Amino acid sequence: MQNKKSSFIAAASVMTVCALALSYTETLIPLFLIPIPGFKLGLCNIVFVLGIFTTTRRQALLAFTAKTVLVALLFGNMSSWIFSVAGGSFSIVALLILHRFAADRFSYIGICQICAAMHNFGQMIAACLLFKTYALLGYLPIL
């Protein structure tokens, strides 16, 4: 029993560390290379897509939660944490639904694109609620 629990925690920890490393790597990309404000590549989401297909859902969710909290503490502030949780929650729910019902219909690239779109949608919803305006939804097609 202990070995199973240890391997569960180890796999979730490896996913978390990989996601943190990729999140940090994204911060090193110069902003002038990407002309869209707020744009990020979302490299750490690759970890969760692969994790959901190679480990359990619980491990991927644990790694996602740990990564979200740690990135906010290490690289962000309260508003970035709100946007990260909103976008990440929409993205991870989409990932879980796709894994459960449509994994055989989409490639990993297609799943990543859908999850990225849901991440942007979640962040736009958070922005609309935070700033109390729906005018921000006009930015969604650009993302």
Side-chain angles (χ1 to χ4, degrees):
M1 182 68 173
Q2 184 65 21
N3 191 22
K4 190 174 185 176
K5 187 174 184 178
S6 296
S7 65
F8 176 88
I9 293 171
S13 299
V14 168
M15 280 191 284
T16 302
V17 168
C18 288
L20 281 172
L22 289 171
S23 288
Y24 178 70
T25 302
E26 279 186 333
T27 65
L28 299 176
I29 298 172
L31 293 178
F32 67 86
L33 293 177
I34 303 167
I36 302 170
F39 181 83
K40 286 176 130 182
L41 293 174
L43 296 175
C44 65
N45 294 329
I46 296 168
V47 173
F48 303 120
V49 171
L50 292 176
I52 206 95
F53 285 95
T54 59
T55 64
T56 66
R57 281 187 221 125
R58 286 182 53 207
Q59 285 170 314
L61 286 172
L62 178 62
F64 164 75
T65 304
K67 177 261 182 197
T68 302
V69 170
L70 290 171
V71 165
L73 290 173
L74 295 171
F75 311 123
N77 53 36
M78 185 54 113
S79 63
S80 69
W81 184 78
I82 291 169
F83 291 120
S84 179
V85 168
S89 297
F90 273 72
S91 179
I92 203 80
V93 167
L95 177 58
L96 291 170
I97 290 169
L98 288 168
H99 178 255
R100 174 99 174 161
F101 299 109
D104 57 338
R105 295 185 202 128
F106 294 99
S107 67
Y108 288 132
I109 293 172
I111 290 171
C112 286
Q113 289 174 334
I114 292 169
C115 290
M118 292 306 294
H119 189 277
N120 289 337
F121 183 70
Q123 286 185 327
M124 286 284 98
I125 296 296
C128 289
L129 294 173
L130 192 63
F131 298 117
K132 296 180 173 84
T133 180
Y134 292 105
L136 296 170
L137 290 176
Y139 188 56
L140 196 57
I142 297 168
L143 293 175

